[in-house]
Amino acid sequence: MASIFWWVIFPYVTGTVMIFGLLYRYAFRQISWAAPSTEIFEKKWLSIGSPLFHWGIVFAFIGHIMGVLIPKRFYEAAGVRDELYHAGAIIGGGIAGLMVVAGLVILLIRRIKFERVRIHATFAEFFSIITLLVVGGLGAYMTIVYNTTVTAYEYRATIGPWFRSLFVFRPKHELMDGVPLLFKVHVIAAFLFFASIPFTRLVHLFSFPARYPVRAPQQYRSRAGYKRIPEK
């Protein structure tokens, strides 16, 4: 029963909350569909933590596509040996995981350390950062430590097929029974994070920035430093 709940019911419940939450927010609270910049309150820590986190997430996302969504037989047909795949996953995934964790730690300390940033932070922001820290921390640990000291776990034979089976509504929950506990907690925390997205500023993850390169930059002017140029 526990297996059915965590690997059948829970993924669909969290996925439903995420999808309908996003639709509701876009339809009725579209003005909040953004991530307002807090650069005006503090810039130094943000300029370090934000790029680390965002680039780390991009690399981690690509890694999960390669490891979870792409079947193992694809690599076998392409002639990619398991040793080569796992070596690349450990190096690339380890770097991406460390970037995500380092960026999140910096951003979390920034929200706590600087009062002007802290008073504008919400519970949802702290929840999303802490949840992501759990997901990213476990991912980095499993990639760098577990896969090199215990065993290079072949998640492409268990987690990958199970995850793909959710999309065709034929969940193979039995594949998750023998998965190591750390990997299970990582997956559960990830689904919990997905369900929280509609209630946080992270909704901007679903907005493709097609106009970003040509968008006019935001300009902030200080009233104290403003000087009126006399007319000639």
Side-chain angles (χ1 to χ4, degrees), residues 16-194:
T16 301
V17 170
M18 183 187 72
I19 293 172
F20 282 95
L22 289 171
L23 292 175
Y24 174 83
R25 184 163 178 176
Y26 187 81
F28 299 102
R29 297 181 58 194
Q30 193 172 135
I31 194 172
S32 68
W33 192 285
S37 175
T38 58
E39 182 179 352
I40 190 174
F41 305 125
E42 194 284 325
K43 185 174 182 179
K44 184 177 179 180
W45 286 58
L46 181 66
S47 64
I48 300 173
S50 183
L52 274 174
F53 166 67
H54 283 90
W55 281 111
I57 281 291
V58 170
F59 295 144
F61 178 74
I62 295 173
H64 280 72
I65 290 178
M66 295 176 63
V68 177
L69 293 182
I70 299 178
K72 185 182 179 208
R73 60 179 177 272
F74 172 84
Y75 295 98
E76 295 173 346
V80 179
R81 295 179 293 109
D82 290 347
E83 295 79 6
L84 178 61
Y85 170 84
H86 286 295
I90 290 173
I91 296 173
I95 294 174
L98 290 176
M99 290 176 65
V100 170
V101 172
L104 286 171
V105 169
I106 293 172
L107 293 176
L108 180 60
I109 294 175
R110 175 179 178 266
R111 276 173 167 75
I112 298 173
K113 178 181 177 64
F114 298 97
E115 182 180 1
R116 291 196 300 172
V117 179
R118 185 173 65 250
I119 61 177
H120 287 84
T122 62
F123 170 80
E125 289 183 48
F126 283 105
F127 178 85
S128 60
I129 291 179
I130 293 173
T131 306
L132 266 177
L133 265 176
V134 173
V135 176
L138 284 174
Y141 176 83
M142 292 184 301
T143 301
I144 300 172
V145 180
Y146 188 93
N147 284 339
T148 57
T149 60
V150 181
T151 181
Y153 181 69
E154 188 53 271
Y155 49 81
R156 294 179 297 170
T158 54
I159 300 176
W162 162 77
F163 185 73
R164 295 193 298 273
S165 71
L166 295 175
F167 292 95
V168 296
F169 300 102
R170 298 180 63 182
K172 301 178 180 179
H173 63 89
E174 65 278 1
L175 292 175
M176 296 295 292
D177 291 341
V179 173
L181 180 61
L182 286 177
F183 288 81
K184 289 181 178 180
V185 176
H186 176 73
V187 173
I188 292 172
F191 274 99
L192 184 62
F193 164 72
F194 292 144

